[in-house]
Amino acid sequence: MSIPEVIGIIIAIILILIIVFLYLGVKINLTYNKLNSDFEYHLNITLLNSYSIFRKDHPLPKECESDGEKESDRDGEGYPFKEIIKPLLDVLDSLVEYLTEILHSLEIKKLENHLDFGMSSYVSTAKYTGYMWSLFVVPNSSHKNVKLTVEPTFKEPTFDFKGCVDIKVNLLKIVIPTIQLLRQKEVRDFIKLVRNPREGKDNGENQEPSE
């Protein structure tokens, strides 16, 4: 057997193993709670239902916090969720369409989220709350373990939420829908904003009006 044939067999075996692992998928367990500027979550991703490949907690345990993180807590600076409300609404249709497409690739044991939502305008609050309720009807009615709810808040602008996710994902089936979603510039911009919302806000404030 020649060297090129051996290399070809090795590559074929590697590709088969990758496809098998993608098909078997990963199990994702996530719990989270956001209230005002405080946000905490626990994420654990396991392979083959037993091997943990990624684990993260936020905020970090107190003994692991750095001086910079402690200083930030004292300053009262939290994640500025209010900065992403409008961009989220702009891409909401695309995200719901994506979630609907990949729903068949998910084995959902539990998917719950409750959102307290409010804007500066009572009319806008009622309008977008009703819009989100209508969108939640699809996943809520399509799976018995899905429960997505939203409650309007008319006192002040609010974007608080809590929930838990326990799902198994067939990675092989979500590749194409994910690529199609990320091809949309608005979605890519929204992801960048979520990762660094303060930078997006600063860029918007410092941008000079065009002549």
Side-chain angles (χ1 to χ4, degrees):
M1 185 178 293
S2 63
I3 293 180
E5 291 176 337
V6 173
I7 295 176
I9 293 174
I10 294 175
I11 293 176
I13 293 174
I14 292 175
L15 290 176
I16 291 173
L17 290 175
I18 291 175
I19 292 174
V20 169
F21 279 115
L22 288 176
Y23 181 78
L24 292 176
V26 296
K27 183 179 179 182
I28 301 174
N29 183 271
L30 170 68
T31 58
Y32 54 88
N33 183 30
K34 185 266 173 183
L35 180 63
N36 298 323
S37 61
D38 297 326
F39 181 54
E40 59 182 25
Y41 68 84
H42 169 74
L43 173 64
N44 186 32
I45 301 177
T46 58
L47 183 65
L48 302 177
N49 293 326
S50 57
Y51 301 101
S52 179
I53 58 176
F54 183 81
R55 181 189 296 269
K56 186 171 184 180
D57 295 287
H58 180 83
L60 296 173
K62 292 184 178 180
E63 61 271 15
C64 298
E65 290 181 348
S66 65
D67 294 338
E69 289 170 326
K70 292 179 181 179
E71 185 67 27
S72 176
D73 291 339
R74 287 196 293 268
D75 292 341
E77 296 182 357
Y79 189 93
F81 282 93
K82 294 177 183 178
E83 300 297 331
I84 70 172
I85 292 179
K86 187 180 184 303
L88 172 61
L89 296 174
D90 291 338
V91 300
L92 190 59
D93 285 339
S94 297
L95 294 178
V96 171
E97 181 180 352
Y98 170 73
L99 292 175
T100 303
E101 288 185 11
I102 70 170
L103 196 59
H104 65 279
S105 66
L106 307 179
E107 181 182 337
I108 303 175
K109 295 184 177 180
K110 179 181 283 190
L111 177 57
E112 297 181 357
N113 184 82
H114 178 74
L115 171 65
D116 292 318
F117 177 78
M119 302 182 72
S120 56
S121 167
Y122 289 178
V123 175
S124 297
T125 298
K127 175 183 176 182
Y128 285 112
T129 299
Y131 185 47
M132 283 185 280
W133 262 117
S134 64
L135 293 174
F136 290 164
V137 168
V138 176
N140 285 341
S141 60
S142 63
H143 203 289
K144 63 180 181 179
N145 295 332
V146 176
K147 184 179 181 182
L148 307 178
T149 58
V150 57
E151 181 177 347
T153 302
F154 297 102
K155 295 181 180 179
E156 59 183 356
T158 304
F159 193 75
D160 293 333
F161 53 86
K162 61 181 178 179
C164 57
V165 178
D166 189 2
I167 59 176
K168 184 177 179 181
V169 185
N170 185 323
L171 300 177
L172 194 61
K173 294 182 179 180
I174 69 172
V175 172
I176 294 179
T178 301
I179 293 175
Q180 292 175 339
L181 179 71
L182 295 178
R183 289 178 61 186
Q184 302 179 41
K185 183 178 183 300
E186 295 80 3
V187 174
R188 296 197 303 271
D189 291 342
F190 174 70
I191 294 174
K192 292 178 182 178
L193 180 63
V194 170
R195 294 180 61 184
N196 197 340
R198 293 187 179 88
E199 181 177 339
K201 179 181 178 181
D202 294 339
N203 291 340
E205 291 177 348
N206 297 331
Q207 185 176 5
E208 296 182 0
S210 57
E211 297 181 357

